[in-house]
Amino acid sequence: QVHLVESGGGSVQAGGSLTLSCAASGNIPATSCFTWNRLPPGQEREGVAAIDSDGTTLYTDSVKGRFTISKDGAKNILYLQMNSLKPEDTATYYCAIEVGGCGSGTDYYGEGTLVTVSA
């Protein structure tokens, strides 16, 4: 069983920064891809960033240059540094794991942390 717990969400003004964390525990295969996804109000869930087992990172276009995904492999903690936040970044942010690697499909989700960006 894998357990994911996000933290670090909150309210911030446009242009501000937040760092999200996700503590992962359980039997996590070394091949796993760790991802951040978000669910904006009234919209569908979208992928934000991913980091594969070899360290390769991927970002959706809307956050490139503003968000950085990283992972402390020893502690199994995933981070998302978010800079230059915009109101359209408002969403509940979820960390997730794809045990077969990036693109294999999500196997585990956390419960999410809310980020609210005001204009």
Side-chain angles (χ1 to χ4, degrees):
Q1 187 69 16
V2 172
H3 193 48
L4 302 170
V5 180
E6 301 95 337
S7 61
S11 296
V12 64
Q13 289 190 323
S17 299
L18 281 175
T19 300
L20 305 183
S21 300
C22 173
S25 60
N27 187 14
I28 302 171
T31 56
S32 296
C33 171
F34 287 73
T35 71
W36 285 101
N37 305 267
R38 65 187 179 187
L39 182 62
Q43 300 182 43
E44 294 185 353
R45 193 192 305 259
E46 63 173 347
V48 175
I51 183 165
D52 214 339
S53 56
D54 64 357
T56 301
T57 56
L58 301 166
Y59 298 92
T60 193
D61 285 346
S62 63
V63 308
K64 284 180 181 176
R66 300 189 298 121
F67 290 11
T68 302
I69 188 171
S70 61
K71 182 165 64 87
D72 182 333
K75 297 180 180 179
N76 262 348
I77 299 176
L78 182 70
Y79 300 99
L80 186 68
Q81 173 67 43
M82 305 186 294
N83 299 324
S84 302
L85 282 161
K86 304 175 181 180
E88 52 264 42
D89 295 318
T90 295
T92 300
Y93 284 72
Y94 301 86
C95 68
I97 288 177
E98 301 178 7
V99 298
C102 292
S104 65
T106 299
D107 298 281
Y108 303 99
Y109 276 110
E111 293 189 357
T113 186
L114 178 63
V115 172
T116 303
V117 184
S118 57

